[in-house]
Amino acid sequence: MGLVISALVTFWVGFLIYKKYKPQPVLFLGGMILMYIAAIFGYGTILPAKAATGSTFFDAFEFIRATMSSNAGKLGMNIMAVGAFARYMDKIGASRSLVRLTIRPLLALKSPYIVLSGTWVVGMLIGLCINSASGLAMLLMVTMFPILIGLGVSRLSATAAVATTLCFDWSPSDTGTILSAETAGVDPVVYWSHYQVPIVAVAFVVVGVLHYLTQKYMDKRDGHIVQPMQVEKIEEEADNAPMWYAILPVIPLALILSFSSLWITTIKMNIVMAMFIGMTIGVMCEYARWRDGQKVLGDIQTFFDGLGMQMANVITLVVAGQTFAKGLVSMGAITTLIDGSKNLGFGPMAMMLVMVAIIAVSAIVMGSGNAPFFAFAALTPAVAAHSGLHPVLMLLPMHFAASIMRNCSPITAVIVVSSGMGGVSSFDLVKRTAI
C-alpha cells in the first residue's frame, strides 16, 4: 500500500509541475505529505530518535531546517560562490574578453556543435580530477558556456552539454567507484582500468555524437537560428575590457586543477576558496584599470547579489527535491521495490536489469545518483550470488545507471545548478539531456 500511495503522490507532484506550478513549493508539499502519511500509518519515521523533536508534526520542519542548513554550508556555498563569480566576471567584462579571445579560431571550425561535443569530452576528462558533477558544471558554466553562446548555439544546448559532463562517475577517486570496488572485492584501480575505462571509451564516441545530433536537431526544431557573434562588432564595443581579462574566468578552474591530486598535493584548494581568490584578483585588475576605488568596490555588490540569487533560485530547489526524496524513503517505497524483485526468482540477466531499472527510477525521482546506489550497493553481493553473477558485473551497470540517470532528473543538483546559471528551466533542460 505504501508503494501505491508513493506512486500516486509522485504522479500528482509531476502533474502540478507539468502544469507550470512552481516546483519548490510543490516538492516541499509532496515530501511533507509522504512523511506525515508514513509516520501516521507506521510505514516509517521522519527522523531518527536522536534527531527527533518530540513531535511528529514538527519533525518534518526540522528535517527541512537541517537539510537547508547542511546544503547552505556545503553544496549551497559552492553554488552561491560560483554563481556570484560568474555574475562578477560578466559585470567587469571578463566573460566577453574570453569570448573575444576564443571565438575566431573556434568559428574557423564552421560548426559550433562540434565545439559543443568537444566541450562534453573535455569536461569528462576533467572529471577524472573533479569528482563533483555539480562542481564541474559550475566551473564550465563560467568558462565554456559563454563561448558556446558566442558561437551561436542556444542556451539550452550549451547548458545540456555542460550539465552532462560527468554523466559517468568514472574517476578512480570517486566515492561510488571506491564503494563498488570494495563491495565487489576488486582493487579500485583495477575496477577503473579493467571495467570502467573500456565502457567509457565507447561512451565518449556515442554521447559526443548524440550531443552533436540531438542539440543541433532540437535547436532547429525549436526555431533557433545559429547566429555567431560578429567578432568585429564585439571588438568595437566601447565598454570592452582588455583582452588579457580573458584569463580571469579561468583562474578558479586553474587553481582547483593545480592544487589537486593531478599536480600539487601539499596545498588544499576548494571551489569556494578558488572563487573568492578569482574575485579578489578581478578586483585588483579593475582598480589597476579604472583607478576609481568607489566604482571598483561598488561593483563587488554584483558578487554579493549573485550569492542571494543562487540561494533563492537554486538551493531552495535542491532542498525541496531532498525533502520529496525523504518522503519516499520514509514510505519505504524503494525498499519495497528491492525486496519484491529479490523474491521473483529472475535469472542473472533479468535480475541485473531489474536492479538497474530500480536504480534508474530512484535516481530520477530522488534527484540523486549516490543516494540510491549507496543504499542498494550493500545488497548486491547477496543478489549476485543468488543470480550466479560476479558482483562487479552487477555493480558496474548499477553505478553507471545511477550517475547517468541523475541527468534526467530536473531536481538533481547538477541540473538545477546548470539551469540556474544558464537561465533556462531545469524541466526544459532534461528534455535535452534525457537521450
Side-chain angles (χ1 to χ4, degrees), residues 53 124 170 193 306 391 419:
T53 63
M124 279 288 292
W170 71 306
S193 60
S419 60

Side-chain angles (χ1 to χ4, degrees), residues 320-384:
Q322 291 181 357
T323 301
F324 183 67
K326 174 62 177 177
L328 291 174
V329 171
S330 297
M331 290 292 294
I334 308 302
T335 304
T336 301
L337 287 173
I338 285 288
D339 292 341
S341 63
K342 287 171 61 179
N343 297 325
L344 289 177
F346 287 151
M349 289 301 296
M351 195 64 208
M352 183 180 72
L353 291 174
V354 167
M355 294 294 286
V356 167
I358 293 173
I359 287 279
V361 173
S362 301
I364 295 174
V365 174
M366 298 173 70
S368 170
N370 282 342
F373 177 67
F374 282 21
F376 303 152
L379 302 173
T380 305
V383 176

Side-chain angles (χ1 to χ4, degrees), residues 43-376:
Y43 292 112
T45 59
I46 299 175
L47 293 174
K50 290 184 178 180
T53 63
S55 166
T56 300
F57 179 76
F58 293 153
D59 281 351
F61 294 94
E62 169 60 15
F63 173 80
I64 294 174
R65 181 209 65 78
T67 305
M68 178 71 78
S69 177
S70 174
N71 278 280
K74 296 177 183 178
L75 172 65
M77 195 62 223
N78 289 340
I79 294 172
M80 289 190 290
V82 176
F85 179 75
R87 283 178 59 86
Y88 184 68
M89 288 295 102
D90 184 63
K91 175 69 175 179
I92 67 176
S95 297
R96 290 195 298 278
S97 293
L98 180 62
V99 172
R100 286 162 54 209
L101 179 67
T102 56
I103 198 167
R104 279 189 184 275
L106 292 177
L107 282 173
L109 294 174
K110 304 295 184 182
S111 177
Y113 293 96
I114 289 180
V115 180
L116 182 146
S117 295
T119 297
W120 179 82
V121 172
V122 170
M124 279 288 292
L125 293 173
I126 296 175
L128 286 171
C129 307
I130 300 176
N131 295 333
S132 167
S134 54
L136 176 59
M138 286 186 281
L139 294 171
L140 293 178
M141 286 299 291
V142 175
T143 52
M144 287 305 301
F145 177 78
I147 295 174
L148 294 174
I149 296 299
L151 291 172
V153 305
S154 70
R155 300 184 76 85
L156 270 173
S157 288
T159 308
V162 170
T164 55
T165 44
L166 204 53
C167 63
F168 292 94
D169 288 335
W170 71 306
S171 169
S173 59
D174 174 69
T175 53
T177 298
I178 294 172
L179 176 65
S180 296
E182 290 180 350
T183 304
V186 179
D187 181 80
V189 176
V190 172
Y191 177 79
W192 176 74
S193 60
H194 287 54
Y195 294 97
Q196 288 187 320
V197 170
I199 293 176
V200 176
V202 177
F204 267 110
V205 178
V206 174
V207 180
V209 171
L210 278 176
H211 262 307
Y212 176 86
L213 298 174
T214 302
Q215 308 310 334
K216 187 175 183 178
Y217 167 77
M218 289 189 171
D219 276 358
K220 185 177 181 180
R221 185 198 63 183
D222 294 344
H224 176 77
I225 300 174
V226 177
Q227 292 182 331
M229 291 183 179
Q230 298 180 11
V231 180
E232 293 78 9
K233 185 176 180 180
I234 297 174
E235 293 178 347
E236 290 173 1
E237 290 178 356
D239 62 343
N240 271 343
M243 185 68 79
W244 58 268
Y245 263 43
I247 67 172
L248 296 181
V250 186
I251 287 175
L253 179 59
L255 288 172
I256 291 170
L257 290 178
S258 297
F259 300 106
S260 69
S261 58
L262 186 67
W263 190 13
I264 303 173
T265 59
T266 55
I267 298 177
K268 295 182 179 180
M269 179 62 59
N270 58 55
I271 290 176
V272 177
M273 284 173 57
M275 294 303 150
F276 274 94
I277 292 171
M279 187 266 289
T280 302
I281 294 174
V283 170
M284 295 168 62
C285 294
E286 278 290 272
Y287 184 77
R289 176 186 177 191
W290 296 108
R291 300 290 181 178
D292 185 344
Q294 185 175 12
K295 169 183 168 50
V296 172
L297 296 180
D299 285 347
I300 299 178
Q301 186 62 39
T302 303
F303 183 90
F304 299 140
D305 290 342
L307 295 174
M309 287 184 63
Q310 296 300 312
M311 171 63 82
N313 298 324
V314 179
I315 298 172
T316 53
L317 185 53
V318 173
V319 176
Q322 291 181 357
T323 301
F324 183 67
K326 174 62 177 177
L328 291 174
V329 171
S330 297
M331 290 292 294
I334 308 302
T335 304
T336 301
L337 287 173
I338 285 288
D339 292 341
S341 63
K342 287 171 61 179
N343 297 325
L344 289 177
F346 287 151
M349 289 301 296
M351 195 64 208
M352 183 180 72
L353 291 174
V354 167
M355 294 294 286
V356 167
I358 293 173
I359 287 279
V361 173
S362 301
I364 295 174
V365 174
M366 298 173 70
S368 170
N370 282 342
F373 177 67
F374 282 21
F376 303 152

